């Protein structure tokens, strides 16, 4: 039985990941403030003492570049230092499709995180995923101002958080089998392309929400890329999930992960 430390274990990706890892027989060490471990202040060498794998799915609720860069820079440096100190064999990190091209505050923090992971002395795998199906509900609530929700115009290929968790668990198992670090990130997307405004309005119909949802373009190059496929996977090596947004809304299961 292996021991896997999950940073951000109680979040949108962390919760199904912990469940998936335990179902496969792994012992899980949860690294989250609600579990008594703050990634910015805790003795992480102690928390990782028995771990042979770290999966970092931590996040911070911000759109500010400085906040995102400080969070991901600080927590990733501390996690990597502790991982090297205790002899962790495999470091898996969840990132975002399009992070190289879109110069947006949160994405700047994720780029810093990826650079730190690549330069560390621990074997690593980076998985980039598109927005989760849950993104529609998150954006509706975050971007609401009274009876109106103002949403950024963007294209996405949303994926089920549970399927992201399954792929991360697969990568943990691959590392246990001796798979080396990957030169390039893997990419994972859902089975269909949708706009954010369409996702939000479908979600509203499902929950009978009466707020008026509007879609406005984000200015600048980042906004242009968000509207013209910058958040979609490119090339032929990405994986595709099987759960559609409508299946997620209705709570029905989709087909298994398949290669593109």
């Amino acid at each position: 039985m292996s021991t896997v430390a999950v940073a951000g274990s109680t979040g949108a990706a962390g919760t199904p990941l912990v469940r998936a890892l335990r179902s496969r027989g792994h012992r899980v060490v949860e690294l989250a403030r609600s579990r008594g471990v703050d990634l910015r202040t805790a003795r992480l060498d102690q928390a990782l003492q028995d771990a042979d794998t770290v999966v970092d799915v931590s996040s911070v609720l911000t759109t500010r570049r400085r906040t995102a860069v400080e969070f991901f820079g600080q927590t990733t440096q501390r996690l990597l230092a502790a991982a090297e100190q205790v002899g962790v064999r495999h470091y898996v990190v969840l990132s975002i499709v399009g992070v190289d091209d879109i110069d947006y505050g949160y994405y700047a923090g994720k780029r810093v995180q990826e650079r730190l992971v690549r330069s560390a002395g621990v074997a690593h795998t980076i998985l980039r995923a598109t927005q989760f199906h849950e993104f529609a509900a998150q954006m509706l609530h975050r971007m609401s101002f009274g009876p109106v929700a103002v949403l950024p115009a963007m294209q996405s290929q949303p994926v089920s958080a549970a399927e992201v968790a399954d792929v991360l668990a697969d990568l943990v198992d691959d590392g246990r089998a001796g798979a080396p670090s990957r030169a390039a990130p893997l990419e994972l997307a859902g089975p269909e392309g949708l706009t954010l405004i369409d996702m939000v309005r479908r979600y509203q119909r499902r929950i009978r929400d009466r707020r008026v949802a509007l879609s406005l373009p984000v200015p600048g190059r980042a906004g242009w890329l968000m509207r013209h496929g910058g958040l979609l996977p490119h090339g032929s090596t990405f994986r595709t999930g099987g759960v559609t947004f409508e299946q997620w809304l209705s709570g029905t299961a989709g087909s298994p992960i398949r290669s593109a």
Side-chain angles (χ1 to χ4, degrees), residues 17-246:
L17 175 60
V18 168
R19 187 163 55 244
L21 290 169
R22 285 178 173 155
S23 72
R24 300 184 186 204
H26 297 287
R27 176 177 175 264
V28 177
V29 176
E30 295 193 52
L31 308 180
R33 281 184 297 175
S34 62
R35 299 294 188 263
V37 182
D38 189 324
L39 297 177
R40 291 169 289 194
T41 59
R43 283 288 306 272
L44 296 180
D45 56 333
Q46 294 179 352
L48 301 184
Q49 191 62 50
D50 298 322
D52 46 46
T53 304
V54 171
V55 185
D56 187 359
V57 293
S58 61
S59 63
V60 59
L61 183 59
T62 187
T63 57
R64 296 183 59 190
R65 179 185 300 264
R66 180 175 178 179
T67 302
V69 168
E70 288 180 351
F71 174 82
F72 287 112
Q74 179 184 11
T75 59
T76 304
Q77 285 179 323
R78 299 187 81 247
L79 278 167
L80 287 168
E84 292 188 49
Q85 181 177 341
V86 303
V88 165
R89 293 187 297 179
H90 189 200
Y91 194 102
V92 181
V93 64
L94 178 63
S95 190
I96 309 169
V97 168
V99 72
D100 288 330
D101 300 320
I102 296 182
D103 192 22
Y104 189 59
Y106 188 85
Y107 287 55
K110 296 300 287 184
R111 288 195 296 271
V112 168
Q113 181 185 48
E114 287 196 14
R115 286 197 297 270
L116 290 170
V117 170
R118 289 193 190 96
S119 63
V122 182
H124 69 273
T125 306
I126 297 171
L127 175 66
R128 292 178 177 175
T130 53
Q131 289 68 40
F132 298 167
H133 293 320
E134 290 84 354
F135 186 64
Q138 293 168 353
M139 291 300 288
L140 174 63
H141 297 303
R142 290 176 190 170
M143 304 303 291
S144 288
F145 305 91
V148 178
V150 182
L151 306 159
M154 59 180 284
Q155 290 183 319
S156 185
Q157 198 167 323
V159 67
S160 162
E163 290 185 305
V164 173
D166 284 338
V167 172
L168 289 168
D170 287 343
L171 295 176
V172 170
D173 291 338
D174 290 346
R176 289 284 298 164
S181 294
R182 300 176 186 270
L186 299 173
E187 290 191 333
L188 175 64
E192 58 185 346
L194 296 170
T195 62
L196 176 59
I197 190 67
D198 184 34
M199 292 165 61
V200 168
R201 287 173 177 168
R202 290 193 200 183
Y203 174 71
Q204 287 181 286
R205 286 194 293 271
R206 176 66 60 175
I207 66 170
R208 298 181 180 179
D209 182 87
R210 294 182 178 275
R211 279 170 283 190
V212 177
L214 304 175
S215 179
L216 295 179
V218 174
R221 183 174 183 272
W224 188 92
L225 287 169
M226 290 167 66
R227 298 190 301 275
H228 294 87
L231 296 171
L232 306 182
H234 297 87
S236 59
T237 58
F238 67 90
R239 295 185 183 185
T240 305
V243 177
T244 67
F245 186 69
E246 201 62 36

